[in-house]
Amino acid sequence: MKFLAACTLVPILCFAFQDIGSEYGGMSWLTYDYVAWPMMIAPVLMLVLFFRNRELIRNPRLGANFSQTIKLVAVMYLFWNIIGAIGYSWLAVIPLLCCLTILVADRQLKKQARS
């Protein structure tokens, strides 16, 4: 859960620091690249985390919070990476696919566990 929290909070903090620093601090070196790349890297790292901890999703007693948390964060990054794919770079399609993979695979793992 600590790794998931880091994947969630670091890009959000970069976004906040870029917005505050470039607008009020006069730091012109804080470009949108400073925000976009962490937002695109985090879903890929979350996908690795998801596949390494599949047993937490299969066993709802152990991983109920993990499953809900990673789905919530995946939806959040899905939204931001759609905006990134349209407005910033076509490379945002890769994290977009990672978010979709997390959402679909979570449902499939839960169906397998019930059977």
Side-chain angles (χ1 to χ4, degrees):
M1 288 298 276
K2 292 176 187 177
F3 189 71
L4 181 61
C7 287
T8 305
L9 293 177
V10 168
I12 293 170
L13 291 174
C14 287
F15 186 71
F17 184 67
Q18 187 274 336
D19 189 41
I20 292 170
S22 64
E23 188 171 329
Y24 299 110
M27 297 180 199
S28 60
W29 57 271
L30 288 175
T31 63
Y32 285 110
D33 297 341
Y34 183 76
V35 175
W37 284 103
M39 288 275 190
M40 290 191 299
I41 292 171
V44 177
L45 295 176
M46 284 182 0
L47 184 64
V48 170
L49 179 70
F50 178 79
F51 282 117
R52 290 190 70 185
N53 295 310
R54 289 185 305 262
E55 66 277 353
L56 292 177
I57 294 167
R58 286 187 184 135
N59 189 351
R61 290 183 186 156
L62 292 176
N65 291 337
F66 178 78
S67 176
Q68 291 171 353
T69 305
I70 201 163
K71 283 192 306 187
L72 180 69
V73 174
V75 169
M76 179 185 70
Y77 282 125
L78 181 72
F79 174 72
W80 285 110
N81 281 308
I82 288 172
I83 293 171
I86 293 170
Y88 179 72
S89 172
W90 61 272
L91 286 174
V93 171
I94 296 169
L96 187 80
L97 293 174
C98 290
C99 291
L100 289 173
T101 303
I102 289 170
L103 294 172
V104 171
D106 182 81
R107 183 172 293 195
Q108 293 299 321
L109 286 173
K110 285 184 179 179
K111 282 183 183 178
Q112 288 176 357
R114 289 182 195 146
S115 300

